[in-house]
Structure formats: structure tokens, C-alpha cells
Amino acid sequence: MADGNRAVVFANPQDMQVENLDFPKLEMPDGAKAPHGVILKIVATNICGSDLHIYRGSFPVPQGMVMGHEMTGQVVELGSDVTFLKEGDLVSVPFNVACGRCRNCRARRTEICETTNPDVACAAYGFNLGNWQGGQAEYLFVPYADFQLLRFPDKDQAMEKIRDLALLSDILPTAFHGLMEAGAKPGSTVYIAGAGPVGRCGAAAARLLGASCIIVGDYHKDRLDLMKQNGCETIDLNEDVPLTDQIEAILGEPMVDCAVDYVGSEAHGIGREAGDMDPAHAINQVMDATRPGGATGIIGVYGPDPLAESKAEQEGTFPLDFGKAWIKSPRISGGQAPIMHYNRELMMAILWDRMPYLSDMLNTKIISLDDAPDAYATFDKGASDKFIIDPHGLIPA
């Protein structure tokens, strides 16, 4: 067993550091013993777009918090109450910390567990939601392991597809959830706001669901080029043309069946206003782009943002164009994704090669733990890579 635990920690906005910490214990954040938990040796731990909210200072967290909520690992220590796992198992960790026992968890609503955060019904690793330390580290403690962890059936097969399976902890199920909330199905036309890693997972998931025309909007040309190469239509939001006009130029009509906001409150305007931060732009954009009777998924992160320009937006109140949308009888759903609602089925889709294009669309790049601080800075500039940290050098080239 290792003596310590090297990890990426938050020092200050735009300042991530790799530090040497103590090896994790089978203990809850309040110090209570956790015989239901395990310790994982991390195999893959990703940098997520949500981590950039913390990196930029939009989502305040305490100094010294271990970053990361997208983890895949190998079981190296088990609590005495763990029954269905064994040492050596390779598992995916849902980013929602969930007990499996409360009313919401029993209804498969693990994104709003009632017990794992004393302040609000929502807990997550590495996100100042319940004081759970993150997994951009060599080792991680996971509670309620029998309930939470998704075990891969065959370790060797899983390691061959680890770049794709590493996406199961968050962004692939999150992207899929957005499409489910938007009612996507075979033949649907879909608009995806944002070609970051989650938006690209959304495009891949839309293909899996059999969507017809998949349109992706973004400001970064390299991201849009990646989408074009993988069969999507694209909209450059730097163009000073209304979004619905650009959709009509592609589809022959100005609205889609389903639209998903994968951006959140760090959105910007369109065209000549593309350089201006507009926290409500993405959500208003997808409401505008959805046809009457269609549905919209709001998956991007919204909440109080100390960097926003107005006092209302700093407090988490945003100006929504709901009056214009209301007449269309919209269905609008938002919030975090219940990862466990989707991860097993998506795992099987990956293992049986139903998403062979996933790594190409995500543009995954394997880095070391020491490379992580620089990768944060690169990702913050809009790079098209999806960074996967390999703390122990276990992922094949």
C-alpha cells in the first residue's frame, strides 16, 4: 500500500498545483468510519469543463481542495461491509456522491441524494458539494461502494477501451441525459449549444440515438472542424447572423425538434457580441431554437457567479426570454445528470462497439499528473482536447 497520495489541488483561481497528501482512509468527510467504502487506485481521471468554473473563480471552493470528479479506478482496499466488489476490480465512479438509501436514490435520482451533503440535496466529488475530495489524484476514497461503483465485466477488455470508458463517470451520461430531457429519438433534428467535450459527447450520443440532422454551435473553429469531420452540421457563433436564420439555412426551417444547452452561465453573445459574457445567452438560445411542442435540456452549470457583471447574475438570477418561449408550449428541464441512470447501458454500447467514433469526436489526450496544471490553462483557452490524467502510467499509448 502506498504511503501518500499525489493530487491536483486548487490553490487560487488560475492556479492548480500538484501536492503530496496523506493516503485516503475509509472515512466520511466528518470523520465517521465508512465500512461501506473502498479505496481506488486511479487509472484515469479527467479534466472536465465544469472544473474550469472552479479554475476561473466562477464556482468558489476552499483552498487546498482536491480537484476532479471524473474517475475510473482499481479497487485496492475494501471496507468490511462491501459485498459485491473485490480487490483488483476496475470500476467507473459516478460523479454524484449518493447513498443508495434515501428517497431520491431509491428512485434513481442520485443527482439529488438527500444525505451526502448536509447543506443541499446534491453532492459531488471535487466540487465543494458536501466536502468530498476529488479524484485528480493517485488514490480516492469512495463511499457506499456496492451501490455507487460500476464494475467493468472484463478488465483486459476495459483497458483496451479505457479512453471511451473513462467518459462514463460524467460527460457521456450527462450528455445523454440532456438529449433524454429534450426528447431526442430516431429521426430527431437536434441543436447542440457548445462543442466542448460535453457537447461533443452530446453529438456522439445523438448519433447513437439515431438523430437525423445534428447541428453544433460554437465559437472555436478547431472544435467545429472536429464536429464536421464526424458528420455534424456546424454553426460558427462568431457570425453576425441570428441563430434561427443559420439553422434555417441548414434545415430549411428555423427550429429543431430538440435543443440542449451544454454551456451554462459562462456563455457569450453571438456575432458582434461574441466577445461579451452573457450568462443567459445559451439558455435563451436553445429556447429560441426549439420548435413549438419541442423540448429543451439545460445541462450547463447555472448558479451564483461572482464573476458575472450584474448583481442579480452574481446571485444566480438570470434574465430568461421565457415570455417568447411560453407560447410554444415548451418542455424545459435542467439540473445535473443522474449518472447511474445511464452509465451501465452506455458502458455496454462502448464495449460492443456501438460508438466507435467516440474517441475521435472527443479528441482524447492522455497526460501525467504533473502535466495537469498546464492542461487546465490550455483547456481554458478553448483547446479541442479532452484531457485524461493517467496518474500511474497505466493507459496504453
Side-chain angles (χ1 to χ4, degrees):
M1 200 68 68
D3 294 327
N5 185 29
R6 298 180 71 240
V8 179
V9 304
F10 174 82
N12 288 292
Q14 300 184 356
D15 183 12
M16 301 296 181
Q17 298 182 7
V18 179
E19 295 187 0
N20 294 307
L21 307 175
D22 293 336
F23 190 82
K25 299 177 181 178
L26 294 172
E27 291 182 355
M28 304 292 275
D30 63 2
K33 300 299 182 184
H36 48 72
V38 300
I39 306 298
L40 298 182
K41 180 179 182 178
I42 295 298
V43 173
T45 175
N46 317 331
I47 301 177
C48 178
S50 298
D51 293 326
L52 292 183
H53 295 299
I54 298 173
Y55 178 78
R56 294 166 182 159
S58 292
F59 193 97
V61 301
Q63 284 187 324
M65 186 191 77
V66 179
M67 294 292 298
H69 56 272
E70 298 186 6
M71 293 81 67
T72 307
Q74 187 173 4
V75 177
V76 294
E77 183 178 343
L78 299 104
S80 59
D81 285 351
V82 177
T83 303
F84 301 109
L85 296 166
K86 64 181 186 298
E87 286 189 22
D89 281 346
L90 188 63
V91 296
S92 179
V93 186
F95 82 86
N96 325 110
V97 187
C99 69
R101 305 170 183 181
C102 70
R103 175 181 178 179
N104 286 338
C105 282
R106 288 164 67 90
R108 297 184 75 186
R109 296 297 305 276
T110 52
E111 84 280 20
I112 43 176
C113 174
E114 297 176 314
T115 71
T116 45
N117 184 347
D119 299 320
V120 66
C122 172
Y125 300 94
F127 225 87
N128 197 26
L129 291 169
N131 201 29
W132 298 94
Q133 295 298 303
Q136 288 174 7
E138 293 176 324
Y139 298 92
L140 174 72
F141 160 66
V142 175
Y144 308 111
D146 277 333
F147 173 69
Q148 286 214 283
L149 295 176
L150 174 66
R151 184 179 66 84
F152 299 135
D154 183 283
K155 190 190 307 182
D156 292 337
Q157 180 193 27
M159 286 304 297
E160 291 176 3
K161 300 178 182 294
I162 193 65
R163 287 174 179 256
D164 292 349
L165 293 171
L167 308 175
L168 290 172
S169 54
D170 179 5
I171 64 171
L172 182 56
T174 289
F176 194 86
H177 176 64
L179 292 163
M180 290 293 95
E181 295 299 286
K185 59 186 179 182
S188 294
T189 56
V190 177
Y191 176 67
I192 289 172
V198 186
R200 299 202 297 274
C201 274
R207 283 182 60 176
L208 179 67
L209 289 167
S212 54
C213 182
I214 304 167
I215 305 172
V216 184
D218 202 283
Y219 304 93
H220 297 281
K221 186 178 184 302
D222 56 343
R223 291 180 174 183
L224 293 175
D225 288 344
L226 195 57
M227 292 290 86
K228 281 183 182 177
Q229 293 164 17
N230 284 279
C232 297
E233 302 295 325
T234 59
I235 290 177
D236 185 345
L237 297 178
N238 295 295
E239 296 292 328
D240 200 24
V241 179
L243 175 65
T244 50
D245 289 358
Q246 296 195 60
I247 291 174
E248 185 170 21
I250 295 169
L251 273 181
E253 53 187 10
M255 287 176 275
V256 295
D257 299 322
C258 319
V260 187
D261 165 17
Y262 289 117
V263 180
S265 63
E266 292 189 330
H268 290 71
I270 190 170
R272 69 190 68 181
E273 298 175 348
D276 300 329
M277 191 168 178
D278 180 358
H281 176 71
I283 189 170
N284 286 325
Q285 182 187 107
V286 294
M287 287 195 297
D288 191 36
T290 304
R291 69 172 180 83
T296 299
I298 310 299
I299 301 305
V301 176
Y302 287 90
D305 182 353
L307 301 184
E309 293 185 2
S310 74
K311 186 174 187 298
E313 290 164 346
Q314 290 171 9
E315 296 172 349
T317 301
F318 304 100
L320 302 184
D321 294 338
F322 191 69
K324 290 191 294 186
W326 180 88
I327 197 66
K328 296 192 289 186
S329 294
R331 183 163 64 87
I332 301 169
S333 180
Q336 293 186 6
I339 299 304
M340 293 177 66
H341 200 78
Y342 308 104
N343 62 353
R344 181 173 297 277
E345 289 80 3
L346 290 168
M347 172 188 75
M348 296 304 291
I350 291 170
L351 292 177
W352 287 93
D353 294 322
R354 295 298 180 250
M355 305 182 78
Y357 41 79
L358 191 56
S359 286
D360 288 341
M361 294 181 89
L362 265 291
N363 206 31
T364 52
K365 183 176 183 180
I366 308 299
I367 62 172
S368 72
L369 202 61
D370 290 315
D371 292 332
D374 287 340
Y376 266 94
T378 301
F379 189 19
D380 187 43
K381 294 174 183 174
S384 60
D385 298 309
K386 170 64 175 177
F387 292 104
I388 298 178
I389 303 170
D390 177 6
H392 298 278
L394 298 174
I395 299 177

